[in-house]
Amino acid sequence: MSVAFGPSFVKPASKDWFDPKYCARHANAVSKIIWKKLERGEYKPIPARRFTIPKKRGGNREITVFSIPGTAVSKLIYHGIVRRNIKKFSSSSFAY
């Protein structure tokens, strides 16, 4: 899927897990559904979308966009891992 940012950007027509306004309006319901799916082991991440953006000087740049609920779950897991293992991390480490 090739798109360019600006007036020519085309947004998908259906309900969209990549739309911040949709996710904000439905945040309570979405978070409860995701939490229940995580508890039951049924959560499946929404596939990321890949966009190709033309560069000004030629060529293309590929951008990968992750869904908002998927990003929230990822952050939740990351912070849980850090909280449990903070003493094992080196203070000079710059990675996860």
Side-chain angles (χ1 to χ4, degrees):
M1 169 184 221
S2 295
V3 297
F5 289 108
S8 62
F9 179 73
V10 178
K11 183 182 160 197
S14 64
K15 85 175 174 175
D16 195 2
W17 297 119
F18 297 84
D19 179 6
K21 289 179 183 177
Y22 177 87
C23 290
R25 279 193 309 267
H26 300 91
N28 288 335
V30 169
S31 62
K32 287 176 186 175
I33 290 167
I34 291 173
W35 188 258
K36 287 179 182 178
K37 285 184 176 185
L38 284 167
E39 286 181 325
R40 293 189 304 251
E42 298 172 357
Y43 176 76
K44 292 191 183 350
I46 299 162
R49 290 187 183 163
R50 181 162 286 171
F51 297 95
T52 301
I53 312 272
K55 293 182 180 180
K56 288 181 182 179
R57 297 184 181 177
N60 294 313
R61 179 179 311 279
E62 286 200 359
I63 306 290
T64 303
V65 181
F66 297 93
S67 71
I68 294 168
T71 302
V73 169
S74 175
K75 285 180 121 181
L76 178 72
I77 293 169
Y78 167 75
H79 288 294
I81 291 170
V82 168
R83 194 172 44 250
R84 286 182 194 90
N85 296 292
I86 193 72
K87 293 180 182 177
K88 295 179 183 176
F89 292 143
S90 167
S91 61
S92 61
S93 175
F94 296 103
Y96 296 107

